């Protein structure tokens, strides 16, 4: 079968299953012809009334039979999603009838659209750039209203515009560099200091995007936050309190949790994965030992840690081991069991862990748990204030890193008094990377990867 992008395509655009309304979409040069073979209007000819819903019937013209009733609407290429002739037919949301309509459409000359093919065509015809196309899919699959908002802005071109601004700035820097190279004797505008500042400005702007990736990741997947501590300090109790459900088993005996438990936790509209782990301590048997090894692995891979200490007992070796091991992580120390008599030497612990965020809580009475939640949001979300623009894709992150890499290289060379032409060369390499980011450079592999993630009918 020779599929081509010139074919007229058809697909059901509403989700599978029964519904009030089901929508069939056609795109391509024969969209109207095919649509009018399967759908007959009573009064208005949709071709003469673009943008208007025209009443009519789904018909099987091969058997001369009316099958369903609904509306048809024609969109001219200038205003359509794909920039081709597009026709939408609204019918009853019966999966069987919608499939029948598609079958009839195919019989009349269309072919079934591939997943994402409508958006692919929109991209290839310049209606959207690749960042916007990625955002369309993000919007459809958004996991929170915040993410949906950001993705919608990106569909409208907010991220692409920012990249265009950066490109413009780079072009201006290059123009000044080249002017200085061409007319070295004339006292041209570009002082090394100014060039340095402009490079730093660009690097900072791009750096912000990079930071936002962390936030984006949290939005899409949820950061993983592990609760760690020695046995019996109250990890599982705290886990349950944070989740507001009795999820993990709690007992007065050390070594209760032997496996790990992971649950989604929504904090301030942001999804996190909270993991309860086996307590550190002298393992009494292979099961506990395996649990402790697993806990160590989880702790080392987590995006953040809640380190729990038991303030009703003197500090122990395991506590210090854990505090030492978790130094590199974003972490909060919670001194649990604040409702009991204080036995822990807090000063000694905090002296060895200066600048660490800590607070007293009681998982049992709920004391300070609200504060803990707030501190978690503040600590584990990116330290930067919430970014306006968020990078949601690794593809985008990698390209931003490359841009920063080259600009940084240019900055270093400038500081080491390299010749201006070498610096210009370095800055110039950023331009094609921006082209790739926005999708002006069309790589079949990237296109395939992006559009294959789409649903059928989009
Ligand atoms: N008084 C008091 N007791 C608590 C508090 N938090 C937990 N406990 C008690 O401490 C005991 C151990 O609690 P768990 O939540 O099972 O402790 P854990 O850290 O998960 O223990 P392991 O899974 O064995 O590592 C239970 O008897 C809890 O009721 C607290 O804030 N105050
Ligand atoms: Mg436990």
């Amino acid at each position: 079968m020779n599929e081509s992008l010139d074919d007229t395509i058809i697909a059901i655009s509403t989700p599978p299953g029964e519904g009030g309304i089901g929508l069939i979409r056609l795109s391509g040069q024969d969209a109207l012809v095919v649509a009018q073979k399967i759908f007959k209007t009573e009064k208005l000819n949709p071709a003469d009334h673009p943008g208007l819903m025209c009443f009519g019937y789904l018909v099987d013209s091969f058997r001369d039979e009316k099958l369903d009733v609904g509306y048809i609407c024609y969109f001219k290429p200038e205003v359509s999603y794909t920039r081709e002739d597009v026709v939408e037919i609204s019918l009853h949301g019966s999966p069987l009838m919608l499939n029948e309509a598609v079958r009839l459409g195919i019989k009349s000359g269309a072919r079934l659209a591939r997943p994402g093919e409508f958006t692919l065509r929109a991209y290839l015809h310049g209606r959207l750039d690749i960042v916007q196309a990625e955002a369309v899919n993000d919007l459809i699959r958004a996991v929170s209203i915040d993410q949906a908002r950001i993705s919608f802005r990106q569909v409208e071109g907010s991220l692409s515009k920012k990249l265009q601004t950066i490109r413009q700035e780079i072009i201006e820097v290059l123009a000044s560099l080249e002017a200085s190279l061409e007319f070295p004797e004339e006292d041209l505008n570009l002082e090394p200091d100014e060039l340095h500042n402009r490079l730093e400005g660009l690097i900072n702007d791009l750096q912000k995007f990079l930071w936002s990736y962390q936030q984006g990741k949290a939005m899409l997947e949820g950061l993983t936050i592990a609760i760690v501590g020695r046995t019996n300090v109250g990890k599982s109790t705290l886990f349950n309190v944070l989740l507001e459900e009795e999820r993990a088993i709690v007992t007065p005996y050390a070594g209760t949790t032997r496996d790990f438990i992971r649950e989604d936790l929504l904090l301030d509209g942001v999804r996190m994965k909270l993991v309860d782990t086996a307590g550190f301590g002298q393992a009494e048997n292979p099961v506990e030992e395996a649990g402790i090894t697993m806990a160590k692995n989880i702790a080392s891979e987590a995006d953040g840690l809640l380190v729990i200490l038991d303030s009703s007992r003197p500090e122990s070796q395991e506590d210090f081991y854990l505090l030492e091991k978790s130094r590199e992580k974003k972490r909060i120390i919670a001194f649990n069991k604040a409702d009991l008599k204080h036995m822990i030497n807090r000063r000694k612990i905090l002296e060895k862990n200066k600048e660490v965020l800590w607070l007293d809580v009681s998982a049992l009475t709920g004391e300070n748990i609200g504060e803990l939640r707030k501190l978690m949001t503040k600590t584990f979300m990116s330290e930067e204030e919430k970014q306006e623009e968020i990078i949601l894709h690794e593809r985008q992150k990698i390209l931003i890193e490359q841009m920063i890499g080259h600009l940084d290289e240019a900055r270093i060379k400038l500081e080491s008094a390299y010749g201006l032409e070498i610096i210009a060369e370095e800055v110039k390499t950023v331009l094609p990377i921006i082209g790739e980011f926005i999708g002006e450079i069309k790589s079949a592999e990237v296109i395939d990867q992006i559009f294959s993630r789409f649903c059928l009918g989009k």
Side-chain angles (χ1 to χ4, degrees):
M1 204 168 52
N2 268 336
E3 286 189 356
S4 127
L5 284 165
D6 296 326
D7 297 341
T8 294
I9 49 174
I10 185 167
I12 304 172
S13 282
T14 34
E18 295 159 16
I21 291 173
L23 191 83
I24 305 278
R25 181 148 65 167
L26 294 109
S27 180
Q29 51 196 355
D30 294 333
L32 260 174
V33 178
V34 174
Q36 289 186 298
K37 277 191 197 151
I38 65 172
F39 193 93
K40 305 280 182 204
T41 48
E42 290 215 309
K43 294 193 188 111
L44 302 175
N45 181 352
D48 301 331
H49 300 278
L52 201 76
M53 302 274 265
C54 305
F55 180 81
Y57 293 92
L58 175 72
V59 293
D60 182 343
S61 45
F62 301 92
R63 293 165 56 175
D64 200 16
E65 184 186 359
K66 279 183 183 169
L67 296 173
D68 196 4
V69 59
Y71 289 90
I72 185 167
C73 186
Y74 164 58
F75 298 90
K76 287 184 175 179
E78 303 92 272
V79 296
S80 82
Y81 183 59
T82 57
R83 290 287 188 265
E84 300 174 330
D85 272 330
V86 167
V87 177
E88 291 184 358
I89 303 174
S90 313
L91 299 167
H92 286 111
S94 144
L96 285 173
M97 200 52 91
L98 291 169
N99 275 320
E100 182 62 8
V102 168
R103 193 186 67 83
L104 291 170
I106 292 170
K107 227 170 143 184
S108 309
R111 80 159 155 82
L112 191 63
R114 290 159 57 94
E117 191 170 353
F118 290 93
T119 310
L120 170 65
R121 290 179 177 209
Y123 163 62
L124 293 174
H125 295 140
R127 157 84 169 71
L128 300 166
D129 66 28
I130 204 87
V131 177
Q132 291 172 300
E134 275 170 321
V136 167
N137 202 25
D138 297 337
L139 176 62
I140 292 173
R141 297 176 191 273
V143 291
S144 71
I145 189 71
D146 268 351
Q147 191 221 317
R149 278 197 190 101
I150 287 167
S151 295
F152 174 66
R153 284 207 300 266
Q154 294 186 358
V155 172
E156 296 279 282
S158 62
L159 180 55
S160 313
K161 269 188 215 126
K162 294 230 162 99
L163 262 294
Q164 297 287 11
T165 314
I166 287 175
R167 162 148 65 191
Q168 201 46 45
E169 168 70 2
I170 288 176
I171 289 171
E172 278 168 29
V173 168
L174 277 172
S176 320
L177 272 170
E178 262 147 39
S180 304
L181 279 169
E182 234 168 284
F183 311 102
E185 64 287 353
E186 284 175 43
D187 197 15
L188 281 158
N189 38 40
L190 206 64
E191 297 291 328
D193 266 2
E194 196 209 327
L195 178 56
H196 192 267
N197 286 346
R198 291 178 79 168
L199 288 176
E200 292 234 295
L202 281 164
I203 292 169
N204 283 343
D205 286 350
L206 289 166
Q207 198 75 51
K208 278 192 199 132
F209 286 134
L210 219 48
W211 285 324
S212 78
Y213 181 69
Q214 182 78 351
Q215 252 182 43
K217 191 170 160 253
M219 271 185 172
L220 285 185
E221 303 166 9
L223 293 174
T224 299
I225 308 298
I227 305 183
V228 294
R230 70 171 150 142
T231 51
N232 218 37
V233 293
K235 297 178 296 300
S236 301
T237 313
L238 188 72
F239 181 74
N240 290 341
V241 165
L242 286 170
L243 293 177
E244 295 174 328
E245 77 175 292
E246 297 303 311
R247 176 68 181 83
I249 297 172
V250 170
T251 74
Y253 309 107
T256 303
T257 308
R258 291 165 180 223
D259 218 329
F260 67 92
I261 311 178
R262 183 168 32 211
E263 286 292 332
D264 280 352
L265 171 68
L266 210 61
L267 269 187
D268 213 12
V270 179
R271 200 162 63 174
M272 295 186 187
K273 289 197 174 74
L274 195 63
V275 193
D276 182 22
T277 64
F280 288 46
Q282 207 57 50
E284 311 242 306
N285 56 52
V287 184
E288 268 186 56
E289 199 172 308
I292 294 172
T293 309
M294 195 129 68
K296 285 181 182 168
N297 290 339
I298 291 167
S300 72
E301 277 167 24
D303 299 293
L305 298 177
L306 280 180
V307 181
I308 316 298
L309 303 178
D310 181 344
S311 50
S312 71
R313 283 188 288 171
E315 60 283 2
S316 73
Q317 250 183 326
E318 282 97 20
D319 293 335
F320 283 112
Y321 169 80
L322 209 81
L323 288 166
E324 194 48 46
K325 282 282 170 193
S326 59
R327 240 172 232 292
E328 300 297 307
K329 294 266 177 193
K330 288 186 178 175
R331 59 177 181 169
I332 296 172
I333 300 183
F335 292 95
N336 191 33
K337 309 199 185 180
D339 54 301
L340 299 178
K341 190 169 179 313
H342 263 237
M343 295 299 287
I344 203 163
N345 186 343
R346 189 152 68 203
R347 220 184 44 210
K348 188 169 156 200
I349 288 166
L350 295 177
E351 244 165 35
K352 290 196 175 174
N353 295 277
K354 293 209 171 73
E355 289 160 42
V356 73
L357 293 163
W358 63 273
L359 83 179
D360 284 317
V361 300
S362 169
L364 198 68
T365 66
E367 183 186 332
N368 257 351
I369 297 300
E371 292 303 311
L372 178 62
R373 281 179 203 276
K374 280 187 207 148
L375 196 59
M376 284 171 73
T377 316
K378 224 170 74 190
T379 312
F380 300 135
M381 296 292 88
S382 169
E383 306 88 81
E384 306 310 304
E385 72 279 24
K386 278 199 177 172
Q387 303 281 340
E388 277 289 290
E389 208 62 64
I390 290 204
I391 301 285
L392 288 170
H393 298 276
E394 198 179 3
R395 179 190 84 85
Q396 300 171 343
K397 177 189 158 233
I398 292 169
L399 292 172
I400 298 268
E401 278 170 346
Q402 289 175 6
M403 295 178 213
I404 294 177
H406 288 296
L407 290 170
D408 215 31
E409 192 64 32
R411 186 181 57 84
I412 292 166
K413 285 183 171 154
L414 180 68
E415 283 168 6
S416 323
Y418 273 69
L420 285 187
E421 60 268 56
I422 293 179
I423 294 164
E425 233 14 80
E426 196 66 56
V427 174
K428 212 178 279 172
T429 48
V430 181
L431 293 177
I433 305 176
I434 295 183
E436 221 176 297
F437 191 101
I438 304 174
E440 286 164 355
I441 297 170
K442 294 187 166 63
S443 135
E445 199 185 324
V446 172
I447 292 177
D448 240 30
Q449 225 191 40
I450 291 174
F451 290 97
S452 63
R453 292 196 296 254
F454 273 70
C455 344
L456 200 70
K458 187 64 207 177

